[in-house]
Amino acid sequence: MAYREKDTKKWTAQWFETNVMGEKKKRRKRGFETKREALDFERSKKLSNERSMDMKLSDFIEIYFSDKQNDLKDRTIKNKRYMMQQHIVPYFGNQMMSEIKASQIIQWQNEIQKKGYSDSYLRMIQNQLTSLFTHAAKIYDLPVNPCKKVKRMGNSDSRSLNFWTLDEYKQFIQTMEPGTRYYLMFEMLFWTGCRIGELLAITKADINFEKNQLSINKTYYRTGMQDIITEPKTKQSFRTIEIPEFLKEEIKEFIDGHYGMPDTERLFPVVQEAVQHKMKRQIELAGVKNIRVHDLRHSHVAYLIEKGVEPLLIRDRLGHKDIRITLNTYGHLYPNQQRKIANLLDNENGNAVIGLGEEKDEC
């Protein structure tokens, strides 16, 4: 029960929590200006401890991230928190999880869609709300998941992918001196399809020059003025990429030019923003259309598809978790494959007709 401190004249909330051993422990939080604030805090803590769905969505967010702390990377948690605080909490933060209706979610979608976000970002926002209610229903027995009743807004199927053709890439890369750091970085991005974070984490030890292989086993990002090296995006992101001979030679020449480079030192000790700025400057010099660094990954796939490489091979090369991700993202780049099938069937049928005719003549 909340009480007032004699010395500070402020209110203190107190409640009991049950730990994993089943033991009840008294907890306190001081500094509330009013009794009502302290009581509200006590109530939220009690509901949180009981995992009751008669709690505010903003409180359930904390439970969600507490449960997911071992499943999500720090950067993912940071990004999800940002989207929830920006786009979900202002609408549903003070509402009880058990009281949010499908009709309210439709109204929320209508408001969010007025803001002019891209389809892919709308889908990302929607996914955050859906993940909360899915977790509440699956783990804490929320009777009704309102997200299941409404159509998800946005579209994750990126049919407007931005990428370069091989000619456009050649026009771009010719603006840089071969053998330089950024030249090699863009070469590796285009010819391997690796992610920028994966590229920036590569060390000398990750290159097998005898087998022409590149090992992807970590990723890099910078946050809070600190360089972070962590595991790749998913388990499937751990992979070995076969690299062409010319790219291997370019990598070898670069490393040889940095005599004594330790095996565990990053080949490219720069941040992602530096790569983006460099790319933007060279795009202006080359006079090619503007794309993002990540779009070089799409460009690599577009090139492979144009050369007839099968989706399963592309999935493994990119490190996608599921073939559906590959097909949903790049399937629309395969329309010419349908014509190839039709031509193949025409040829086969033509050969069959000729064969039947020849057999008849021989008889």
Side-chain angles (χ1 to χ4, degrees):
M1 189 68 175
Y3 62 92
R4 195 172 191 178
E5 300 283 355
K6 293 181 178 180
D7 53 347
T8 64
K9 304 302 181 183
K10 292 190 176 182
W11 288 85
T12 294
Q14 61 179 356
W15 68 97
F16 287 93
E17 288 185 2
T18 304
N19 61 24
V20 294
M21 303 298 294
E23 302 168 335
K24 285 191 174 183
K25 300 289 184 180
K26 183 179 286 188
R27 297 285 184 260
R28 292 186 179 89
K29 182 176 176 60
R30 297 178 171 86
F32 293 99
E33 296 292 339
T34 65
K35 182 178 182 179
R36 181 175 180 178
E37 289 176 342
L39 290 173
D40 284 345
F41 189 83
E42 283 181 3
R43 181 176 180 276
S44 68
K45 282 298 181 182
K46 181 180 179 181
L47 291 172
S48 177
N49 192 38
E50 295 174 352
R51 298 307 198 247
S52 167
M53 288 299 96
D54 291 328
M55 71 166 66
K56 295 179 181 179
L57 179 139
S58 57
D59 292 331
F60 184 73
I61 286 176
E62 300 308 316
I63 293 176
Y64 172 83
F65 283 116
S66 176
D67 291 346
K68 295 287 186 178
Q69 60 183 316
N70 294 325
D71 299 329
L72 302 175
K73 296 183 182 299
D74 290 342
R75 183 169 53 169
T76 302
I77 291 175
K78 181 180 179 180
N79 291 338
K80 288 174 72 69
R81 274 191 179 279
Y82 174 81
M83 284 189 282
M84 289 179 183
Q85 291 298 326
Q86 290 292 313
H87 307 296
I88 297 175
V89 172
Y91 294 86
F92 300 119
N94 289 324
Q95 287 190 253
M96 301 300 169
M97 288 289 292
S98 59
E99 296 178 354
I100 297 175
K101 307 298 183 184
S103 59
Q104 294 174 301
I105 293 178
I106 291 176
Q107 295 173 23
W108 167 75
Q109 289 176 333
N110 291 337
E111 290 299 316
I112 295 294
Q113 288 171 321
K114 291 178 183 178
K115 298 185 177 183
Y117 298 126
S118 67
D119 277 349
S120 59
Y121 192 66
L122 287 173
R123 178 55 59 88
M124 289 172 66
I125 297 172
Q126 176 72 62
N127 287 344
Q128 306 318 311
L129 185 66
T130 301
S131 65
L132 289 175
F133 279 102
T134 299
H135 190 68
K138 182 178 180 180
I139 305 300
Y140 299 111
D141 300 322
L142 178 70
V144 178
N145 181 348
C147 288
K148 282 192 172 183
K149 295 184 175 183
V150 301
K151 182 179 178 181
R152 290 194 295 170
M153 66 178 176
N155 190 346
S156 60
D157 186 2
S158 305
R159 291 190 176 275
S160 59
L161 283 180
N162 225 0
F163 60 88
W164 281 336
T165 63
L166 179 59
D167 287 340
E168 288 173 315
Y169 172 71
K170 286 182 176 180
Q171 189 174 335
F172 165 80
I173 201 65
Q174 286 172 0
T175 64
M176 282 173 279
E177 182 180 350
T180 59
R181 173 192 291 172
Y182 283 105
Y183 178 92
L184 179 59
M185 291 173 71
F186 290 122
E187 279 281 89
M188 292 179 71
L189 287 169
F190 183 85
W191 294 111
T192 69
C194 67
R195 302 177 179 93
I196 180 61
E198 295 170 343
L199 176 79
L200 295 179
I202 291 173
T203 65
K204 180 180 175 181
D206 296 324
I207 314 294
N208 187 324
F209 292 104
E210 292 184 2
K211 296 183 178 180
N212 286 34
Q213 292 178 336
L214 168 63
S215 175
I216 301 297
N217 51 56
K218 51 191 174 296
T219 190
Y220 163 90
Y221 66 96
R222 187 171 178 82
T223 182
M225 303 299 291
Q226 288 187 326
D227 294 326
I228 306 296
I229 301 290
T230 185
E231 291 184 350
K233 186 175 182 180
T234 64
K235 291 181 180 179
Q236 289 72 24
S237 294
F238 284 92
R239 64 197 187 279
T240 298
I241 299 176
E242 303 287 337
I243 58 176
E245 181 70 20
F246 75 84
L247 184 58
K248 181 198 76 172
E249 292 299 326
E250 289 179 348
I251 298 172
K252 187 176 186 302
E253 181 180 345
F254 178 81
I255 291 177
D256 290 344
H258 292 73
Y259 182 76
M261 177 184 289
D263 287 352
T264 57
E265 183 177 304
R266 291 167 57 209
L267 261 59
F268 311 114
V270 299
V271 297
Q272 294 187 18
E273 289 75 14
V275 184
Q276 293 166 356
H277 292 155
K278 177 65 174 178
M279 184 173 182
K280 186 175 181 180
R281 290 194 297 269
Q282 301 309 127
I283 284 175
E284 293 176 355
L285 287 175
V288 293
K289 68 185 178 189
N290 187 39
I291 66 172
R292 306 167 302 161
V293 172
H294 188 73
D295 292 328
L296 289 172
R297 180 170 163 89
H298 300 325
S299 301
H300 177 68
V301 177
Y303 174 77
L304 295 181
I305 290 175
E306 197 273 331
K307 293 300 180 183
V309 178
E310 296 181 0
L312 283 173
L313 296 176
I314 293 177
R315 177 202 64 182
D316 294 341
R317 190 168 180 85
L318 295 186
H320 280 163
K321 184 177 181 179
D322 193 305
I323 185 62
R324 288 174 294 182
I325 298 175
T326 311
L327 293 176
N328 287 343
T329 306
Y330 302 108
H332 64 288
L333 298 180
Y334 276 93
N336 59 326
Q337 301 302 310
Q338 295 296 330
R339 174 40 51 194
K340 287 183 180 180
I341 293 173
N343 291 339
L344 173 65
L345 296 176
D346 274 338
N347 291 336
E348 288 298 318
N349 187 55
N351 290 336
V353 171
I354 292 174
L356 286 171
E358 289 174 348
E359 289 178 0
K360 186 175 181 179
D361 289 341
E362 289 175 355
C363 291

